[in-house]
Amino acid sequence: MTESEPDDSTRALDRNRGLYRPERLLTLVDGVFAISMTLLALDVRIPDDVPDTSAGFHANVGNLLGRLGVFVAAFVIASRFWLVHHRQMSALEAVDVGLIERTVLFLAAITSLPVATGVLFRFGDVPGAVTLAAVVLAVTAALSARLWWYMSSPRRGLAHIGVDERRRVLVRSLLVVVVYLLAIPVAYAVPPGLAYIAPLVWLVLAAVDPLAARLYGLFGRSR
Protein backbone atom coordinates (compact mmCIF):
# COMPACT_ATOMS: atom_id res chain seq x y z
CA MET A 1 0.00 0.00 0.00
CA THR A 2 1.44 3.39 -1.01
CA GLU A 3 1.28 6.58 1.04
CA SER A 4 -1.45 8.02 -1.15
CA GLU A 5 -3.70 4.98 -0.81
CA PRO A 6 -6.33 4.98 1.99
CA ASP A 7 -6.20 2.07 4.42
CA ASP A 8 -9.03 -0.41 4.87
CA SER A 9 -10.57 1.58 7.74
CA THR A 10 -11.30 4.62 5.55
CA ARG A 11 -11.88 3.11 2.11
CA ALA A 12 -15.50 3.17 1.01
CA LEU A 13 -17.23 -0.19 0.82
CA ASP A 14 -19.34 0.95 -2.11
CA ARG A 15 -18.84 4.52 -3.30
CA ASN A 16 -21.76 4.33 -5.70
CA ARG A 17 -24.17 3.51 -2.85
CA GLY A 18 -22.47 5.81 -0.37
CA LEU A 19 -21.53 3.02 2.05
CA TYR A 20 -18.48 3.39 4.27
CA ARG A 21 -16.76 1.42 7.01
CA PRO A 22 -18.05 2.25 10.53
CA GLU A 23 -14.73 2.54 12.40
CA ARG A 24 -14.28 6.31 12.15
CA LEU A 25 -17.87 7.01 13.16
CA LEU A 26 -17.57 4.70 16.17
CA THR A 27 -14.34 6.45 17.18
CA LEU A 28 -16.15 9.79 17.07
CA VAL A 29 -18.94 8.38 19.22
CA ASP A 30 -16.51 7.10 21.86
CA GLY A 31 -14.69 10.44 21.93
CA VAL A 32 -17.87 12.48 22.41
CA PHE A 33 -19.07 10.18 25.18
CA ALA A 34 -15.68 10.36 26.94
CA ILE A 35 -15.65 14.17 26.92
CA SER A 36 -19.31 14.52 27.92
CA MET A 37 -18.97 12.07 30.81
CA THR A 38 -15.89 13.93 32.05
CA LEU A 39 -17.69 17.28 31.95
CA LEU A 40 -20.37 15.88 34.27
CA ALA A 41 -17.94 16.20 37.17
CA LEU A 42 -17.05 19.88 36.71
CA ASP A 43 -19.66 21.19 39.14
CA VAL A 44 -18.96 18.61 41.85
CA ARG A 45 -17.17 21.04 44.17
CA ILE A 46 -17.70 23.48 47.01
CA PRO A 47 -18.34 27.02 45.68
CA ASP A 48 -15.29 29.28 45.49
CA ASP A 49 -16.83 31.93 47.75
CA VAL A 50 -16.93 29.54 50.73
CA PRO A 51 -14.25 30.42 53.34
CA ASP A 52 -11.28 28.04 53.47
CA THR A 53 -12.06 27.05 57.03
CA SER A 54 -13.32 24.02 58.89
CA ALA A 55 -16.62 25.78 59.51
CA GLY A 56 -16.97 26.61 55.81
CA PHE A 57 -16.39 22.98 54.86
CA HIS A 58 -18.83 21.56 57.40
CA ALA A 59 -21.49 24.08 56.40
CA ASN A 60 -21.27 23.01 52.74
CA VAL A 61 -20.44 19.32 52.90
CA GLY A 62 -24.13 18.41 52.65
CA ASN A 63 -24.45 20.37 49.42
CA LEU A 64 -21.29 18.73 48.10
CA LEU A 65 -22.65 15.26 48.82
CA GLY A 66 -25.89 16.16 47.07
CA ARG A 67 -23.94 17.26 43.99
CA LEU A 68 -21.92 14.08 44.14
CA GLY A 69 -25.15 12.07 44.15
CA VAL A 70 -26.42 13.92 41.08
CA PHE A 71 -23.08 13.30 39.36
CA VAL A 72 -23.19 9.57 40.08
CA ALA A 73 -26.75 9.33 38.73
CA ALA A 74 -25.84 11.33 35.61
CA PHE A 75 -22.73 9.22 35.04
CA VAL A 76 -24.73 6.01 35.30
CA ILE A 77 -27.31 7.35 32.85
CA ALA A 78 -24.63 8.46 30.37
CA SER A 79 -22.92 5.07 30.75
CA ARG A 80 -26.20 3.37 29.97
CA PHE A 81 -26.58 5.40 26.77
CA TRP A 82 -23.06 4.36 25.75
CA LEU A 83 -23.58 0.70 26.59
CA VAL A 84 -26.85 0.56 24.64
CA HIS A 85 -25.30 2.36 21.68
CA HIS A 86 -22.22 0.12 21.75
CA ARG A 87 -24.35 -3.02 21.86
CA GLN A 88 -26.51 -1.84 18.97
CA MET A 89 -23.60 -0.67 16.83
CA SER A 90 -21.76 -3.97 17.28
CA ALA A 91 -23.93 -5.40 14.51
CA LEU A 92 -23.06 -2.54 12.15
CA GLU A 93 -21.22 -3.55 8.98
CA ALA A 94 -21.38 -0.26 7.05
CA VAL A 95 -22.60 3.31 7.44
CA ASP A 96 -24.29 5.66 5.01
CA VAL A 97 -24.94 9.39 5.02
CA GLY A 98 -28.33 8.97 6.71
CA LEU A 99 -26.82 6.99 9.58
CA ILE A 100 -24.00 9.51 9.98
CA GLU A 101 -26.49 12.39 10.19
CA ARG A 102 -28.62 10.59 12.77
CA THR A 103 -25.57 9.66 14.82
CA VAL A 104 -24.31 13.25 14.88
CA LEU A 105 -27.73 14.45 16.02
CA PHE A 106 -27.73 11.81 18.78
CA LEU A 107 -24.26 12.96 19.84
CA ALA A 108 -25.50 16.55 20.01
CA ALA A 109 -28.03 15.36 22.59
CA ILE A 110 -25.29 13.51 24.48
CA THR A 111 -23.23 16.70 24.73
CA SER A 112 -26.23 18.43 26.34
CA LEU A 113 -26.24 16.01 29.28
CA PRO A 114 -23.70 18.07 31.28
CA VAL A 115 -25.94 21.11 30.79
CA ALA A 116 -28.96 19.28 32.20
CA THR A 117 -26.82 17.99 35.07
CA GLY A 118 -25.58 21.49 35.83
CA VAL A 119 -29.18 22.72 36.06
CA LEU A 120 -30.00 19.96 38.54
CA PHE A 121 -26.89 20.84 40.56
CA ARG A 122 -28.15 24.39 41.08
CA PHE A 123 -31.94 24.07 40.95
CA GLY A 124 -32.68 20.44 41.80
CA ASP A 125 -35.61 21.40 44.05
CA VAL A 126 -37.34 23.37 41.26
CA PRO A 127 -39.89 21.43 39.14
CA GLY A 128 -38.89 23.36 36.04
CA ALA A 129 -35.28 22.21 36.40
CA VAL A 130 -36.36 18.58 36.72
CA THR A 131 -38.58 19.06 33.67
CA LEU A 132 -35.65 20.38 31.63
CA ALA A 133 -33.44 17.45 32.62
CA ALA A 134 -36.22 14.93 31.91
CA VAL A 135 -36.89 16.41 28.47
CA VAL A 136 -33.18 16.37 27.58
CA LEU A 137 -32.90 12.72 28.59
CA ALA A 138 -36.14 11.75 26.82
CA VAL A 139 -35.07 13.47 23.61
CA THR A 140 -31.68 11.75 23.79
CA ALA A 141 -33.38 8.37 24.25
CA ALA A 142 -35.78 9.11 21.37
CA LEU A 143 -32.87 10.00 19.07
CA SER A 144 -31.18 6.75 20.07
CA ALA A 145 -34.35 4.85 19.15
CA ARG A 146 -34.55 6.72 15.83
CA LEU A 147 -30.95 5.81 15.08
CA TRP A 148 -31.60 2.14 15.88
CA TRP A 149 -34.70 1.97 13.66
CA TYR A 150 -32.73 3.43 10.77
CA MET A 151 -29.62 1.27 11.05
CA SER A 152 -31.58 -1.96 11.61
CA SER A 153 -33.73 -1.52 8.50
CA PRO A 154 -33.28 -4.64 6.35
CA ARG A 155 -33.66 -2.69 3.10
CA ARG A 156 -30.60 -0.53 3.87
CA GLY A 157 -28.26 -3.46 4.43
CA LEU A 158 -26.19 -1.72 7.11
CA ALA A 159 -26.53 -4.56 9.63
CA HIS A 160 -27.95 -8.05 9.72
CA ILE A 161 -30.64 -7.83 12.41
CA GLY A 162 -33.71 -10.02 12.71
CA VAL A 163 -37.19 -8.55 12.59
CA ASP A 164 -38.00 -9.67 16.13
CA GLU A 165 -34.85 -8.15 17.57
CA ARG A 166 -35.43 -4.92 15.66
CA ARG A 167 -38.90 -4.49 17.09
CA ARG A 168 -38.01 -5.66 20.59
CA VAL A 169 -35.19 -3.12 20.90
CA LEU A 170 -37.49 -0.37 19.63
CA VAL A 171 -40.10 -1.24 22.28
CA ARG A 172 -37.40 -1.10 24.97
CA SER A 173 -36.11 2.24 23.66
CA LEU A 174 -39.58 3.81 23.68
CA LEU A 175 -40.16 2.59 27.25
CA VAL A 176 -36.96 4.39 28.27
CA VAL A 177 -38.35 7.63 26.80
CA VAL A 178 -41.53 7.19 28.87
CA VAL A 179 -39.57 6.50 32.07
CA TYR A 180 -37.56 9.70 31.72
CA LEU A 181 -40.71 11.74 31.14
CA LEU A 182 -42.35 10.27 34.25
CA ALA A 183 -40.19 12.55 36.40
CA ILE A 184 -42.11 15.60 35.15
CA PRO A 185 -45.54 14.89 36.71
CA VAL A 186 -43.82 13.58 39.85
CA ALA A 187 -41.84 16.84 40.20
CA TYR A 188 -45.06 18.86 40.20
CA ALA A 189 -47.00 16.40 42.37
CA VAL A 190 -44.63 16.35 45.35
CA PRO A 191 -44.74 19.10 48.01
CA PRO A 192 -42.84 22.33 47.21
CA GLY A 193 -39.10 22.02 47.68
CA LEU A 194 -39.08 18.24 47.19
CA ALA A 195 -38.84 18.14 43.41
CA TYR A 196 -35.31 16.78 43.76
CA ILE A 197 -36.76 13.36 44.62
CA ALA A 198 -38.61 13.14 41.29
CA PRO A 199 -35.59 11.73 39.37
CA LEU A 200 -35.74 8.70 41.65
CA VAL A 201 -38.45 7.45 39.30
CA TRP A 202 -35.63 6.79 36.83
CA LEU A 203 -34.69 3.79 38.95
CA VAL A 204 -37.48 2.09 37.02
CA LEU A 205 -34.95 1.85 34.18
CA ALA A 206 -33.63 -1.26 35.92
CA ALA A 207 -36.92 -3.00 35.04
CA VAL A 208 -37.16 -1.77 31.45
CA ASP A 209 -35.49 -4.76 29.80
CA PRO A 210 -37.70 -7.47 31.36
CA LEU A 211 -40.80 -5.28 30.91
CA ALA A 212 -40.00 -4.69 27.24
CA ALA A 213 -39.43 -8.42 26.69
CA ARG A 214 -42.76 -9.22 28.32
CA LEU A 215 -44.68 -6.59 26.34
CA TYR A 216 -43.09 -7.68 23.09
CA GLY A 217 -43.85 -11.31 23.87
CA LEU A 218 -47.52 -10.45 24.41
CA PHE A 219 -48.13 -8.01 21.57
CA GLY A 220 -45.26 -7.59 19.19
CA ARG A 221 -43.74 -10.90 18.17
CA SER A 222 -43.93 -11.54 14.45
CA ARG A 223 -45.84 -14.56 13.30
Side-chain angles (χ1 to χ4, degrees), residues 39-217:
L39 291 175
L40 294 174
L42 287 184
D43 285 329
V44 185
R45 57 188 177 86
I46 293 177
D48 295 334
D49 58 352
V50 174
D52 297 332
T53 63
S54 176
F57 171 77
H58 288 98
N60 289 272
V61 67
N63 180 55
L64 177 63
L65 292 176
R67 288 177 174 236
L68 185 61
V70 173
F71 161 72
V72 170
F75 194 89
V76 169
I77 288 172
S79 298
R80 187 183 189 281
F81 276 121
W82 182 84
L83 287 169
V84 169
H85 187 272
H86 178 72
R87 183 171 57 201
Q88 294 175 355
M89 295 296 109
S90 64
L92 198 62
E93 298 178 354
V95 299
D96 62 9
V97 174
L99 182 68
I100 294 172
E101 292 174 346
R102 286 161 176 78
T103 301
V104 169
L105 190 57
F106 168 66
L107 292 179
I110 290 297
T111 60
S112 71
L113 296 183
V115 177
T117 304
V119 171
L120 286 180
F121 279 147
R122 295 191 60 188
F123 308 105
D125 57 347
V126 178
V130 176
T131 298
L132 174 63
V135 169
V136 168
L137 291 172
V139 169
T140 304
L143 291 173
S144 177
R146 177 174 179 258
L147 176 61
W148 165 258
W149 194 247
Y150 183 91
M151 68 151 284
S152 62
S153 172
R155 67 183 180 85
R156 292 190 174 90
L158 302 179
H160 294 294
I161 297 170
V163 174
D164 280 334
E165 181 182 0
R166 184 176 188 237
R167 294 175 179 173
R168 184 177 64 253
V169 172
L170 181 65
V171 170
R172 181 178 62 201
S173 300
L174 295 179
L175 281 176
V176 171
V177 175
V178 172
V179 170
Y180 284 132
L181 292 176
L182 282 177
I184 298 176
V186 174
Y188 287 94
V190 297
L194 293 179
Y196 63 87
I197 69 173
L200 291 176
V201 74
W202 297 336
L203 293 174
V204 176
L205 288 172
V208 161
D209 285 351
L211 178 59
R214 183 172 180 81
L215 288 176
Y216 185 71

